[in-house]
């Protein structure tokens, strides 16, 4: 499994996003947390800023939509050129239609589960997605402590993915840092979102190198 690191710009300086993207040339993705103050109790950014970022960086954009009604809004992010668009199970009313739309617009389709949402009911969706995101904190804020209780689900999800051909990437997001990333990798994750562990570091690019080395052990 190839390890991929997706630094979250939620912990970056929002006034200098182009510079912050340039500070992580070794990132596989730039993780962009879209929050609407309804699905989660926080408000961040939306489509116009994603469009601006796409012009400012060649790193592919990994949009994590923590919003109500993703069925209405998610295709727009694929349309403007996000490389990956992830919707939440708890918010989507027509996940199959929406995931198919995301794919037909040329983006990878991601499907996210909160810590308290079980993975088993979604086994039949594995053929419709390119990435499963298992949240390792309740979404809404950066810098929250990693929830070890999610690790058994990461293991079960990895087993389900392997049973279905092993194509789907398994992403973890929340509290992923040098003291937790090895546990996530060992449980079967292969795409790692890290906000404060990257942008809180003096040298974000070296932080990515360190995380990648730990996850690859
Ligand atoms: C939280 C967001 C995360 C956040 C992670 O709801 O989805 O992407 O930026 O931040 P850290 O890595 O600091 O927990
Ligand atoms: Zn996120």
């Amino acid at each position: 499994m190839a390890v991929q690191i997706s630094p979250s710009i939620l912990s970056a300086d929002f006034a200098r996003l182009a510079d912050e993207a340039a500070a992580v040339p070794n990132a596989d993705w730039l993780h962009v947390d879209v929050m609407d103050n309804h699905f989660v109790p926080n408000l961040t950014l939306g489509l116009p800023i994603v469009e601006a970022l796409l012009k400012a960086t060649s790193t592919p954009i990994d949009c994590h939509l923590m919003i109500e009604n993703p069925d209405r809004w998610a295709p727009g992010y694929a349309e403007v050129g996000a490389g990956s668009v992830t919707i939440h199970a708890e918010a989507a009313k027509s996940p199959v239609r929406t995931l198919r739309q995301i794919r037909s617009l040329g983006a990878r389709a991601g499907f996210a589960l909160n810590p308290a949402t079980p993975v088993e009911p979604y086994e039949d969706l594995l053929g419709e997605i390119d990435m499963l995101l298992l949240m390792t904190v309740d979404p809404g804020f950066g810098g929250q402590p990693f929830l070890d209780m999610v690790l058994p689900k990461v293991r079960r999800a990895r087993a389900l993915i392997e049973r279905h051909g092993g194509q789907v990437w398994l992403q973890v997001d929340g509290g992923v840092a040098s003291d937790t990333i090895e546990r996530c990798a060992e449980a079967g994750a292969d795409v790692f979102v890290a906000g404060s562990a990257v942008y809180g570091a003096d040298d974000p690019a070296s932080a990515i190198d360190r995380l990648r080395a730990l996850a690859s052990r």
Side-chain angles (χ1 to χ4, degrees):
M1 261 172 347
V3 165
Q4 298 186 72
I5 310 287
S6 187
S8 166
I9 59 156
L10 184 62
S11 296
D13 180 350
F14 273 22
R16 300 171 41 252
L17 283 183
D19 298 338
E20 296 283 62
V24 290
N26 52 344
D28 298 284
W29 297 86
L30 266 193
H31 184 85
V32 176
D33 289 300
V34 176
M35 303 186 187
D36 67 351
N37 212 22
H38 291 273
F39 180 68
V40 289
N42 195 7
L43 183 68
T44 54
L45 51 85
L47 197 55
I49 292 181
V50 169
E51 284 187 88
L53 253 181
L54 280 162
K55 287 188 198 126
T57 179
S58 54
T59 305
I61 304 252
D62 166 26
C63 279
H64 175 195
L65 304 184
M66 286 159 277
I67 60 173
E68 299 283 359
N69 204 0
D71 306 297
R72 163 71 181 84
W73 302 108
Y77 290 83
E79 230 161 61
V80 299
S84 176
V85 180
T86 296
I87 61 170
H88 263 265
E90 302 83 3
K93 294 212 170 68
S94 323
V96 175
R97 183 165 62 221
T98 303
L99 292 162
R100 287 187 178 185
Q101 264 170 6
I102 292 170
R103 277 180 159 179
S104 73
L105 291 162
R108 297 177 60 88
F111 194 64
L113 307 180
N114 283 341
T117 305
V119 65
E120 285 76 11
Y122 299 103
E123 178 172 358
D124 291 344
L125 267 188
L126 286 175
E128 304 290 337
I129 67 177
D130 301 297
M131 183 168 77
L132 179 65
L133 164 53
L134 298 183
M135 291 303 300
T136 41
V137 298
D138 272 317
F141 304 95
Q144 302 182 80
F146 180 81
L147 294 176
D148 275 282
M149 59 158 285
V150 181
L151 287 173
K153 183 167 63 176
V154 176
R155 261 179 246 287
R156 297 198 307 272
R158 170 50 63 193
L160 287 177
I161 287 170
E162 292 310 312
R163 213 183 303 148
H164 286 260
Q167 302 298 321
V168 175
W169 295 351
L170 184 52
Q171 185 178 63
V172 283
D173 180 8
V176 176
S178 54
D179 58 337
T180 55
I181 194 167
E182 286 173 283
R183 301 210 279 286
C184 298
E186 195 270 324
D190 55 1
V191 186
F192 303 87
V193 177
S196 43
V198 169
Y199 282 108
D202 290 336
D203 181 349
S206 337
I208 290 179
D209 287 342
R210 266 197 309 280
L211 290 171
R212 194 188 299 282
L214 286 168
S216 309
R217 280 220 290 226

